[in-house]
Short mmCIF file of all heavy atoms in Angstrom, two decimals:
data_model
loop_
_atom_site.label_atom_id
_atom_site.label_comp_id
_atom_site.label_asym_id
_atom_site.label_seq_id
_atom_site.Cartn_x
_atom_site.Cartn_y
_atom_site.Cartn_z
N LEU A 566 -66.01 -11.65 67.72
CA LEU A 566 -67.24 -12.39 67.90
C LEU A 566 -68.01 -11.84 68.97
O LEU A 566 -67.64 -11.80 70.10
CB LEU A 566 -66.84 -13.84 68.16
CG LEU A 566 -66.14 -14.58 67.01
CD1 LEU A 566 -64.93 -15.18 67.44
CD2 LEU A 566 -67.04 -15.56 66.32
N ILE A 567 -69.23 -11.29 68.65
CA ILE A 567 -70.03 -10.67 69.66
C ILE A 567 -71.02 -11.71 70.19
O ILE A 567 -71.78 -12.35 69.56
CB ILE A 567 -70.81 -9.48 69.02
CG1 ILE A 567 -69.74 -8.43 68.57
CG2 ILE A 567 -71.73 -8.88 70.02
CD1 ILE A 567 -70.12 -7.69 67.34
N LEU A 568 -70.85 -11.88 71.53
CA LEU A 568 -71.55 -12.97 72.24
C LEU A 568 -72.89 -12.40 72.82
O LEU A 568 -72.80 -11.34 73.42
CB LEU A 568 -70.72 -13.53 73.40
CG LEU A 568 -69.35 -14.01 73.00
CD1 LEU A 568 -68.57 -14.64 74.20
CD2 LEU A 568 -69.34 -14.98 71.72
N PHE A 569 -73.96 -13.06 72.59
CA PHE A 569 -75.19 -12.53 73.14
C PHE A 569 -76.24 -13.63 73.32
O PHE A 569 -76.00 -14.83 73.00
CB PHE A 569 -75.80 -11.45 72.11
CG PHE A 569 -76.28 -11.92 70.87
CD1 PHE A 569 -77.62 -12.12 70.55
CD2 PHE A 569 -75.31 -12.18 69.84
CE1 PHE A 569 -77.99 -12.64 69.36
CE2 PHE A 569 -75.71 -12.70 68.56
CZ PHE A 569 -77.08 -12.92 68.39
N ASP A 570 -77.35 -13.27 73.78
CA ASP A 570 -78.42 -14.25 74.03
C ASP A 570 -79.65 -13.72 73.30
O ASP A 570 -80.32 -12.75 73.81
CB ASP A 570 -78.66 -14.41 75.51
CG ASP A 570 -79.65 -15.56 75.82
OD1 ASP A 570 -80.31 -15.98 74.87
OD2 ASP A 570 -79.71 -15.96 77.01
N ALA A 571 -80.05 -14.45 72.28
CA ALA A 571 -81.18 -13.97 71.43
C ALA A 571 -82.48 -14.13 72.11
O ALA A 571 -83.53 -13.46 71.77
CB ALA A 571 -81.20 -14.76 70.17
N ARG A 572 -82.59 -14.91 73.25
CA ARG A 572 -83.78 -15.02 74.02
C ARG A 572 -84.20 -13.75 74.76
O ARG A 572 -85.25 -13.52 75.11
CB ARG A 572 -83.69 -16.22 75.00
CG ARG A 572 -83.55 -17.56 74.23
CD ARG A 572 -83.11 -18.69 75.17
NE ARG A 572 -81.75 -18.39 75.74
CZ ARG A 572 -81.14 -19.22 76.52
NH1 ARG A 572 -81.49 -20.42 76.72
NH2 ARG A 572 -79.90 -18.88 77.05
N ILE A 573 -83.16 -12.91 74.99
CA ILE A 573 -83.32 -11.72 75.69
C ILE A 573 -83.78 -10.71 74.60
O ILE A 573 -83.03 -10.43 73.72
CB ILE A 573 -82.04 -11.18 76.46
CG1 ILE A 573 -81.73 -12.31 77.40
CG2 ILE A 573 -82.32 -9.91 77.13
CD1 ILE A 573 -80.32 -12.00 78.13
N PRO A 574 -85.04 -10.18 74.76
CA PRO A 574 -85.50 -9.21 73.77
C PRO A 574 -84.50 -8.04 73.56
O PRO A 574 -84.10 -7.52 74.59
CB PRO A 574 -86.83 -8.69 74.37
CG PRO A 574 -87.25 -9.79 75.35
CD PRO A 574 -85.98 -10.37 75.87
N GLY A 575 -84.29 -7.82 72.33
CA GLY A 575 -83.45 -6.52 72.02
C GLY A 575 -81.96 -6.93 71.89
O GLY A 575 -81.15 -6.14 71.38
N GLN A 576 -81.59 -8.12 72.42
CA GLN A 576 -80.07 -8.47 72.35
C GLN A 576 -79.57 -8.69 70.90
O GLN A 576 -78.42 -8.30 70.62
CB GLN A 576 -79.72 -9.69 73.22
CG GLN A 576 -79.57 -9.20 74.67
CD GLN A 576 -78.24 -9.84 75.25
OE1 GLN A 576 -77.81 -10.89 74.88
NE2 GLN A 576 -77.68 -9.16 76.27
N THR A 577 -80.38 -9.36 70.05
CA THR A 577 -79.94 -9.52 68.73
C THR A 577 -79.64 -8.15 67.99
O THR A 577 -78.62 -8.00 67.42
CB THR A 577 -81.02 -10.22 67.85
OG1 THR A 577 -81.31 -11.49 68.60
CG2 THR A 577 -80.54 -10.64 66.48
N GLU A 578 -80.61 -7.26 68.15
CA GLU A 578 -80.37 -5.94 67.59
C GLU A 578 -79.20 -5.25 68.18
O GLU A 578 -78.40 -4.62 67.41
CB GLU A 578 -81.67 -5.02 67.80
CG GLU A 578 -82.81 -5.41 66.99
CD GLU A 578 -83.58 -6.66 67.63
OE1 GLU A 578 -83.09 -7.17 68.70
OE2 GLU A 578 -84.69 -7.00 67.18
N LEU A 579 -79.06 -5.45 69.45
CA LEU A 579 -77.77 -4.80 70.18
C LEU A 579 -76.57 -5.46 69.60
O LEU A 579 -75.50 -4.69 69.45
CB LEU A 579 -77.99 -5.03 71.67
CG LEU A 579 -76.80 -4.52 72.53
CD1 LEU A 579 -76.76 -2.98 72.45
CD2 LEU A 579 -76.97 -4.92 73.97
N ALA A 580 -76.62 -6.72 69.35
CA ALA A 580 -75.36 -7.40 68.80
C ALA A 580 -75.02 -6.87 67.47
O ALA A 580 -73.80 -6.57 67.13
CB ALA A 580 -75.59 -8.91 68.75
N VAL A 581 -76.00 -6.70 66.63
CA VAL A 581 -75.78 -6.20 65.32
C VAL A 581 -75.25 -4.78 65.34
O VAL A 581 -74.28 -4.41 64.67
CB VAL A 581 -77.11 -6.23 64.42
CG1 VAL A 581 -77.02 -5.48 63.15
CG2 VAL A 581 -77.61 -7.65 64.19
N GLU A 582 -75.83 -4.00 66.21
CA GLU A 582 -75.40 -2.61 66.40
C GLU A 582 -73.99 -2.47 66.90
O GLU A 582 -73.20 -1.67 66.46
CB GLU A 582 -76.40 -1.81 67.35
CG GLU A 582 -76.14 -0.39 67.35
CD GLU A 582 -76.64 0.16 68.80
OE1 GLU A 582 -77.88 -0.14 69.16
OE2 GLU A 582 -75.88 0.96 69.40
N THR A 583 -73.63 -3.41 67.87
CA THR A 583 -72.34 -3.42 68.43
C THR A 583 -71.32 -3.78 67.35
O THR A 583 -70.28 -3.17 67.32
CB THR A 583 -72.25 -4.44 69.64
OG1 THR A 583 -73.28 -4.01 70.47
CG2 THR A 583 -70.94 -4.38 70.26
N GLY A 584 -71.70 -4.77 66.46
CA GLY A 584 -70.79 -5.18 65.40
C GLY A 584 -70.48 -4.00 64.45
O GLY A 584 -69.38 -3.73 63.98
N SER A 585 -71.61 -3.23 64.25
CA SER A 585 -71.44 -2.09 63.34
C SER A 585 -70.52 -1.01 63.92
O SER A 585 -69.72 -0.35 63.20
CB SER A 585 -72.84 -1.56 63.06
OG SER A 585 -72.90 -0.96 61.79
N ARG A 586 -70.58 -0.88 65.25
CA ARG A 586 -69.73 0.11 65.93
C ARG A 586 -68.29 -0.33 65.82
O ARG A 586 -67.42 0.50 65.64
CB ARG A 586 -70.16 0.22 67.40
CG ARG A 586 -71.41 0.98 67.62
CD ARG A 586 -71.69 1.13 69.12
NE ARG A 586 -70.74 1.94 69.84
CZ ARG A 586 -70.72 2.00 71.18
NH1 ARG A 586 -71.53 1.29 71.87
NH2 ARG A 586 -69.77 2.72 71.76
N VAL A 587 -68.00 -1.67 65.92
CA VAL A 587 -66.64 -2.15 65.80
C VAL A 587 -66.21 -1.87 64.36
O VAL A 587 -65.03 -1.44 64.13
CB VAL A 587 -66.62 -3.68 66.05
CG1 VAL A 587 -65.23 -4.22 65.71
CG2 VAL A 587 -66.97 -3.94 67.58
N LEU A 588 -67.05 -2.01 63.43
CA LEU A 588 -66.66 -1.72 62.06
C LEU A 588 -66.29 -0.24 61.85
O LEU A 588 -65.40 0.06 61.08
CB LEU A 588 -67.79 -2.09 61.05
CG LEU A 588 -68.07 -3.52 60.80
CD1 LEU A 588 -69.06 -3.71 59.74
CD2 LEU A 588 -66.77 -4.29 60.48
N GLN A 589 -67.12 0.53 62.50
CA GLN A 589 -66.77 2.02 62.41
C GLN A 589 -65.40 2.38 62.91
O GLN A 589 -64.69 3.12 62.43
CB GLN A 589 -67.89 2.81 63.19
CG GLN A 589 -67.75 4.29 62.96
CD GLN A 589 -68.05 4.79 61.60
OE1 GLN A 589 -69.10 4.50 60.99
NE2 GLN A 589 -67.07 5.42 61.00
N VAL A 590 -65.02 1.64 64.04
CA VAL A 590 -63.66 1.78 64.59
C VAL A 590 -62.63 1.45 63.47
O VAL A 590 -61.62 2.12 63.25
CB VAL A 590 -63.45 0.97 65.87
CG1 VAL A 590 -62.00 1.06 66.27
CG2 VAL A 590 -64.35 1.46 66.92
N CYS A 591 -62.90 0.26 62.81
CA CYS A 591 -61.96 -0.19 61.82
C CYS A 591 -61.91 0.92 60.66
O CYS A 591 -60.81 1.30 60.16
CB CYS A 591 -62.43 -1.46 61.20
SG CYS A 591 -62.36 -2.88 62.35
N ALA A 592 -63.06 1.48 60.26
CA ALA A 592 -63.06 2.54 59.18
C ALA A 592 -62.37 3.64 59.61
O ALA A 592 -61.58 4.28 58.86
CB ALA A 592 -64.50 2.75 58.80
N ASP A 593 -62.56 4.07 60.93
CA ASP A 593 -61.88 5.29 61.46
C ASP A 593 -60.39 5.22 61.40
O ASP A 593 -59.73 6.27 61.23
CB ASP A 593 -62.40 5.62 62.85
CG ASP A 593 -63.91 6.02 62.88
OD1 ASP A 593 -64.39 6.36 61.80
OD2 ASP A 593 -64.51 6.04 63.96
N VAL A 594 -59.85 4.14 61.61
CA VAL A 594 -58.37 3.94 61.58
C VAL A 594 -57.82 3.75 60.20
O VAL A 594 -56.64 3.37 59.97
CB VAL A 594 -57.78 3.00 62.59
CG1 VAL A 594 -58.13 3.38 64.03
CG2 VAL A 594 -58.29 1.54 62.26
N GLY A 595 -58.71 3.87 59.21
CA GLY A 595 -58.30 3.73 57.85
C GLY A 595 -58.33 2.25 57.27
O GLY A 595 -57.78 1.87 56.30
N GLY A 596 -59.18 1.53 57.97
CA GLY A 596 -59.28 0.09 57.56
C GLY A 596 -60.46 -0.18 56.71
O GLY A 596 -60.98 0.72 56.02
N SER A 597 -61.00 -1.46 56.67
CA SER A 597 -62.03 -1.86 55.84
C SER A 597 -63.09 -2.63 56.62
O SER A 597 -62.77 -3.13 57.69
CB SER A 597 -61.56 -2.78 54.76
OG SER A 597 -62.64 -3.26 53.98
N ILE A 598 -64.26 -2.66 56.08
CA ILE A 598 -65.37 -3.23 56.89
C ILE A 598 -65.52 -4.73 56.61
O ILE A 598 -66.22 -5.38 57.21
CB ILE A 598 -66.75 -2.62 56.46
CG1 ILE A 598 -66.96 -2.52 54.97
CG2 ILE A 598 -66.70 -1.12 57.06
CD1 ILE A 598 -68.37 -2.14 54.58
N THR A 599 -64.70 -5.25 55.67
CA THR A 599 -64.62 -6.75 55.56
C THR A 599 -63.32 -7.16 54.86
O THR A 599 -62.87 -6.53 53.83
CB THR A 599 -65.82 -7.30 54.78
OG1 THR A 599 -65.56 -8.69 54.48
CG2 THR A 599 -66.10 -6.56 53.47
N GLY A 600 -62.67 -8.15 55.40
CA GLY A 600 -61.44 -8.68 54.92
C GLY A 600 -61.57 -9.88 54.13
O GLY A 600 -60.80 -10.29 53.17
N GLU A 601 -62.67 -10.69 54.53
CA GLU A 601 -62.82 -11.96 53.80
C GLU A 601 -64.29 -12.48 53.71
O GLU A 601 -64.63 -13.37 52.90
CB GLU A 601 -61.89 -13.01 54.31
CG GLU A 601 -61.93 -13.11 55.79
CD GLU A 601 -60.71 -14.08 56.24
OE1 GLU A 601 -59.83 -14.36 55.57
OE2 GLU A 601 -60.90 -14.48 57.42
N HIS A 602 -65.23 -11.91 54.48
CA HIS A 602 -66.60 -12.43 54.53
C HIS A 602 -67.49 -11.69 53.55
O HIS A 602 -68.56 -12.38 53.23
CB HIS A 602 -67.10 -12.28 55.93
CG HIS A 602 -66.41 -13.10 56.96
ND1 HIS A 602 -66.54 -12.94 58.32
CD2 HIS A 602 -65.32 -14.03 56.79
CE1 HIS A 602 -65.77 -13.84 58.97
NE2 HIS A 602 -65.07 -14.50 58.08
N GLY A 603 -67.21 -10.67 52.99
CA GLY A 603 -67.94 -10.01 52.06
C GLY A 603 -69.00 -9.13 52.58
O GLY A 603 -69.20 -8.97 53.89
N ILE A 604 -69.75 -8.35 51.70
CA ILE A 604 -70.69 -7.42 52.12
C ILE A 604 -72.06 -8.14 52.24
O ILE A 604 -72.86 -8.02 53.20
CB ILE A 604 -70.82 -6.30 51.15
CG1 ILE A 604 -69.50 -5.53 51.00
CG2 ILE A 604 -71.93 -5.26 51.48
CD1 ILE A 604 -69.05 -4.91 52.22
N GLY A 605 -72.45 -8.85 51.22
CA GLY A 605 -73.75 -9.57 51.17
C GLY A 605 -74.94 -8.72 51.47
O GLY A 605 -74.96 -7.63 50.89
N ILE A 606 -75.67 -9.12 52.46
CA ILE A 606 -76.82 -8.28 53.01
C ILE A 606 -76.40 -7.63 54.38
O ILE A 606 -76.87 -6.64 54.79
CB ILE A 606 -78.16 -8.90 53.10
CG1 ILE A 606 -78.02 -10.22 54.01
CG2 ILE A 606 -78.69 -9.21 51.77
CD1 ILE A 606 -79.30 -10.89 54.18
N GLU A 607 -75.41 -8.35 54.98
CA GLU A 607 -75.02 -7.84 56.30
C GLU A 607 -74.47 -6.41 56.38
O GLU A 607 -74.77 -5.68 57.26
CB GLU A 607 -73.96 -8.84 56.88
CG GLU A 607 -73.57 -8.47 58.27
CD GLU A 607 -72.33 -9.14 58.70
OE1 GLU A 607 -71.55 -9.67 57.87
OE2 GLU A 607 -71.91 -9.08 59.94
N LYS A 608 -73.75 -6.06 55.29
CA LYS A 608 -72.98 -4.83 55.59
C LYS A 608 -73.25 -3.81 54.42
O LYS A 608 -72.45 -2.84 54.21
CB LYS A 608 -71.49 -5.14 55.55
CG LYS A 608 -70.98 -5.91 56.70
CD LYS A 608 -69.58 -6.21 56.80
CE LYS A 608 -69.25 -6.97 58.02
NZ LYS A 608 -67.90 -7.37 58.09
N GLN A 609 -74.41 -3.97 53.81
CA GLN A 609 -74.74 -3.06 52.71
C GLN A 609 -74.61 -1.58 53.18
O GLN A 609 -74.08 -0.81 52.51
CB GLN A 609 -76.17 -3.38 52.17
CG GLN A 609 -76.18 -4.75 51.44
CD GLN A 609 -77.60 -5.12 51.02
OE1 GLN A 609 -78.41 -5.45 51.82
NE2 GLN A 609 -77.95 -4.95 49.72
N GLN A 610 -75.29 -1.33 54.22
CA GLN A 610 -75.41 0.15 54.74
C GLN A 610 -74.00 0.56 55.23
O GLN A 610 -73.65 1.74 55.09
CB GLN A 610 -76.35 0.30 55.83
CG GLN A 610 -77.84 0.04 55.44
CD GLN A 610 -78.24 0.79 54.10
OE1 GLN A 610 -78.63 0.17 53.12
NE2 GLN A 610 -78.03 2.06 54.13
N ASP A 611 -73.23 -0.40 55.72
CA ASP A 611 -71.83 -0.06 56.29
C ASP A 611 -70.96 0.41 55.06
O ASP A 611 -69.86 1.02 55.42
CB ASP A 611 -71.31 -1.24 56.99
CG ASP A 611 -72.09 -1.66 58.20
OD1 ASP A 611 -72.75 -0.77 58.80
OD2 ASP A 611 -72.19 -2.85 58.47
N MET A 612 -71.30 0.04 53.86
CA MET A 612 -70.45 0.55 52.78
C MET A 612 -70.13 1.99 52.80
O MET A 612 -69.03 2.46 52.32
CB MET A 612 -71.12 0.20 51.45
CG MET A 612 -71.10 -1.29 51.10
SD MET A 612 -69.46 -1.91 50.54
CE MET A 612 -69.66 -1.82 48.80
N TYR A 613 -71.09 2.78 53.25
CA TYR A 613 -70.89 4.17 53.35
C TYR A 613 -69.83 4.69 54.30
O TYR A 613 -69.32 5.82 54.30
CB TYR A 613 -72.22 4.99 53.71
CG TYR A 613 -73.24 4.99 52.59
CD1 TYR A 613 -74.47 4.43 52.82
CD2 TYR A 613 -72.96 5.60 51.48
CE1 TYR A 613 -75.46 4.46 51.80
CE2 TYR A 613 -73.84 5.66 50.38
CZ TYR A 613 -75.10 5.12 50.56
OH TYR A 613 -76.04 5.16 49.53
N MET A 614 -69.42 3.78 55.19
CA MET A 614 -68.30 4.06 56.06
C MET A 614 -67.02 4.23 55.35
O MET A 614 -66.11 4.93 55.81
CB MET A 614 -68.12 2.86 57.08
CG MET A 614 -69.14 2.72 58.15
SD MET A 614 -68.77 1.41 59.31
CE MET A 614 -70.31 1.22 60.25
N ILE A 615 -66.84 3.60 54.18
CA ILE A 615 -65.55 3.64 53.55
C ILE A 615 -65.74 4.16 52.06
O ILE A 615 -64.70 4.38 51.38
CB ILE A 615 -64.86 2.30 53.47
CG1 ILE A 615 -65.71 1.19 53.08
CG2 ILE A 615 -64.35 1.99 54.89
CD1 ILE A 615 -64.89 -0.17 52.84
N PHE A 616 -66.94 4.13 51.40
CA PHE A 616 -67.03 4.62 50.10
C PHE A 616 -68.05 5.76 49.98
O PHE A 616 -69.02 5.86 50.75
CB PHE A 616 -67.57 3.51 49.27
CG PHE A 616 -66.65 2.34 48.96
CD1 PHE A 616 -66.86 1.06 49.40
CD2 PHE A 616 -65.39 2.58 48.48
CE1 PHE A 616 -65.99 -0.02 49.21
CE2 PHE A 616 -64.48 1.55 48.21
CZ PHE A 616 -64.81 0.22 48.61
N THR A 617 -67.73 6.60 48.95
CA THR A 617 -68.68 7.70 48.72
C THR A 617 -69.70 7.24 47.63
O THR A 617 -69.55 6.10 47.06
CB THR A 617 -67.97 8.88 48.01
OG1 THR A 617 -67.45 8.42 46.81
CG2 THR A 617 -66.80 9.43 48.84
N GLU A 618 -70.79 7.95 47.56
CA GLU A 618 -71.73 7.66 46.48
C GLU A 618 -71.09 7.42 45.12
O GLU A 618 -71.47 6.50 44.35
CB GLU A 618 -72.80 8.76 46.55
CG GLU A 618 -74.07 8.41 45.76
CD GLU A 618 -74.83 7.20 46.36
OE1 GLU A 618 -75.07 7.19 47.53
OE2 GLU A 618 -75.11 6.27 45.55
N GLN A 619 -70.23 8.25 44.85
CA GLN A 619 -69.46 8.23 43.60
C GLN A 619 -68.64 6.87 43.43
O GLN A 619 -68.74 6.23 42.29
CB GLN A 619 -68.43 9.37 43.55
CG GLN A 619 -67.86 9.73 42.13
CD GLN A 619 -68.84 10.52 41.33
OE1 GLN A 619 -69.27 11.61 41.77
NE2 GLN A 619 -69.18 10.07 40.25
N ASP A 620 -68.01 6.43 44.41
CA ASP A 620 -67.27 5.19 44.42
C ASP A 620 -68.22 4.00 44.13
O ASP A 620 -67.92 3.16 43.41
CB ASP A 620 -66.56 4.94 45.83
CG ASP A 620 -65.65 6.07 46.19
OD1 ASP A 620 -65.06 6.73 45.26
OD2 ASP A 620 -65.35 6.24 47.39
N LEU A 621 -69.31 4.08 44.82
CA LEU A 621 -70.32 2.95 44.70
C LEU A 621 -70.95 3.01 43.37
O LEU A 621 -71.19 1.96 42.75
CB LEU A 621 -71.45 3.13 45.78
CG LEU A 621 -70.82 2.91 47.27
CD1 LEU A 621 -71.89 3.25 48.28
CD2 LEU A 621 -70.43 1.47 47.42
N GLN A 622 -71.10 4.14 42.77
CA GLN A 622 -71.75 4.14 41.39
C GLN A 622 -70.81 3.57 40.34
O GLN A 622 -71.12 2.87 39.47
CB GLN A 622 -72.06 5.70 41.01
CG GLN A 622 -73.47 6.08 41.43
CD GLN A 622 -73.69 7.56 41.15
OE1 GLN A 622 -72.93 8.20 40.34
NE2 GLN A 622 -74.62 8.12 41.79
N ALA A 623 -69.49 3.86 40.68
CA ALA A 623 -68.44 3.34 39.66
C ALA A 623 -68.50 1.78 39.74
O ALA A 623 -68.35 1.13 38.78
CB ALA A 623 -67.13 3.77 40.08
#
Side-chain angles (χ1 to χ4, degrees):
Chain A
L566 293 127
I567 296 147
L568 311 182
F569 68 102
D570 187 344
R572 293 165 301 188
I573 301 171
Q576 274 226 336
T577 304
E578 290 80 356
L579 180 63
V581 171
E582 189 205 312
T583 304
S585 213
R586 285 181 68 192
V587 170
L588 289 186
Q589 186 65 57
V590 173
C591 296
D593 289 346
V594 295
S597 174
I598 57 171
T599 171
E601 47 188 21
H602 297 172
I604 300 297
I606 53 176
E607 183 198 11
K608 296 182 178 174
Q609 288 174 288
Q610 296 308 123
D611 300 325
M612 287 284 264
Y613 285 123
M614 290 181 189
I615 53 171
F616 290 121
T617 63
E618 195 58 54
Q619 195 79 53
D620 302 335
L621 295 169
Q622 269 175 22

